[in-house]
């Protein structure tokens, strides 16, 4: 498999990791779209939201809890932040591995684009 996020999770490619456990890893985006831009991924290769099943519901809940914890640790929880997931080409997904963007440190706009 030639998935860049799987390689990061396996430590085959370096990344600035901000959180890790046995199922989830979070690291700074190398091309940040905001002052704080962290990617949260499951270590298991799941291509996108379209590939989730009932067995994944606890994993997705865990990812959101870890996002909340990291936001608090980084002192961005009170000012606010955005969580983004892109699904498929038209949805803006550029890496075919399920991931969530934690964006903060600037005023977010709506609609996002």
């Amino acid at each position: 498999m030639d998935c860049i996020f799987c390689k990061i999770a396996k430590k085959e490619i370096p990344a600035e990791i901000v959180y890790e456990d046995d199922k989830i890893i979070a690291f700074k985006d190398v091309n940040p779209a905001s002052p704080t831009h962290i990617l949260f991924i499951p270590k298991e290769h799941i291509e996108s939201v379209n590939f989730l099943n009932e067995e994944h519901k606890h994993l997705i809940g865990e990812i959101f809890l870890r996002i909340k914890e990291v936001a608090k640790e980084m002192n961005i929880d009170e000012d606010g932040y955005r969580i983004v997931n892109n699904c498929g080409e038209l949805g803006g997904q550029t890496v075919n591995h399920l991931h969530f963007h934690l964006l903060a440190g600037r005023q977010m706009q709506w609609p996002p684009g």
Side-chain angles (χ1 to χ4, degrees):
M1 185 173 296
D2 196 33
C3 173
I4 190 168
F5 287 173
C6 286
K7 289 179 180 180
I8 289 171
K10 293 176 186 172
K11 310 284 177 47
E12 295 171 0
I13 295 176
E16 193 171 343
I17 297 169
V18 298
Y19 176 83
E20 182 175 14
D21 64 25
D22 60 327
K23 296 180 183 170
I24 300 163
I25 189 166
F27 50 92
K28 291 186 177 182
D29 194 303
V30 296
N31 191 18
S34 62
T36 300
H37 190 164
I38 309 295
L39 298 173
F40 286 76
I41 69 166
K43 289 184 174 179
E44 172 189 353
H45 183 82
I46 303 168
E47 191 167 319
S48 73
V49 169
N50 289 338
F51 291 83
L52 291 173
N53 60 48
E54 285 294 317
E55 295 173 13
H56 296 121
K57 63 185 173 185
H58 296 292
L59 174 63
I60 300 308
E62 285 292 321
I63 289 173
F64 274 82
L65 289 173
R66 296 317 140 235
I67 290 171
K68 178 185 114 173
E69 290 173 3
V70 168
K72 185 171 180 65
E73 289 170 9
M74 298 181 87
N75 296 315
I76 59 173
D77 58 323
E78 291 190 25
D79 285 339
Y81 53 92
R82 179 171 284 170
I83 302 166
V84 176
N85 170 263
N86 302 316
C87 184
E89 185 179 346
L90 291 181
Q93 186 175 6
T94 57
V95 177
N96 289 326
H97 186 120
L98 180 68
H99 58 285
F100 298 88
H101 301 258
L102 168 61
L103 304 161
R106 66 172 173 82
Q107 180 64 53
M108 301 294 158
Q109 303 297 312
W110 196 261

